[in-house]
Amino acid sequence: LQARAGLPNRPDIPLVAMVSRLDWQKGLDITGHVIHLLLNGYAGEAQFIVLGSGAAEYESMFAQFASYHSSKMAAFLTYDAALAQLIYGGADIFLMPSRFEPCGQGQMIALRYGTPPIVRRVGGLAESVIDVGEHPDTGTGFVFDDASPEALLEACLRAIACRTAGGANWEALLD
């Protein structure tokens, strides 16, 4: 996945990814600042990949981030089913901060591939992802409540810290 995205091969650092329609509903208004902080090392080193198309403002935001952080981020502003599968399977953490999500498939696909998701506690996301902080033995991902950059950042920091630390807690998420 890193090679396909033109990113340095760095298995030692977390690779966060998003496959989404680029729309307000998907929580992208709270995502931009958080991605910028993560790529600037706020949580240590990280890489980010996004695949999707939609609203021009979000396409522009991700294109600018990818240009500025070219060694840490790739933006594929289109839809590509084969690349989507590679992203679900190759990422360490899947980002899905939706404002509302009646069902949601992205988190289910990520879970099937063994990629723990970060989701907002809404609709189908709340029903399908169990927060590892609340349920250490049965958790499947990282859940946050408020539709705010601060809440999303806190969930991202928890996920990245868990991935970076590795060990039994991270391995339990991958089973």
Side-chain angles (χ1 to χ4, degrees), residues 6 8 12 26 28 31 38-39 69-70 74 82-83 88 103 119 125 137 139 160 169 175:
D12 58 313
K26 301 301 182 177
L28 298 180
T31 304
L38 294 178
L39 294 175
H69 298 285
S70 61
L83 180 56
Y88 284 117
C103 178
V119 301
L125 304 179
D137 294 334
I160 288 171
N169 290 339
D175 288 337

Side-chain angles (χ1 to χ4, degrees), residues 71-133:
S71 66
K72 297 179 181 180
M73 180 180 168
F76 298 94
L77 302 175
T78 185
Y79 183 74
D80 180 327
L83 180 56
Q85 299 307 308
L86 182 62
I87 291 171
Y88 284 117
D92 294 306
I93 300 165
F94 185 76
L95 186 60
M96 195 167 177
S98 299
R99 288 191 161 276
F100 59 94
E101 196 69 56
C103 178
Q105 292 182 328
Q107 83 285 4
M108 299 299 289
I109 297 169
L111 287 167
R112 180 72 175 129
Y113 274 93
T115 304
I118 298 172
V119 301
R120 187 157 165 264
R121 195 183 318 265
V122 293
L125 304 179
E127 296 170 0
S128 59
V129 179
I130 301 166
D131 187 78
V132 71

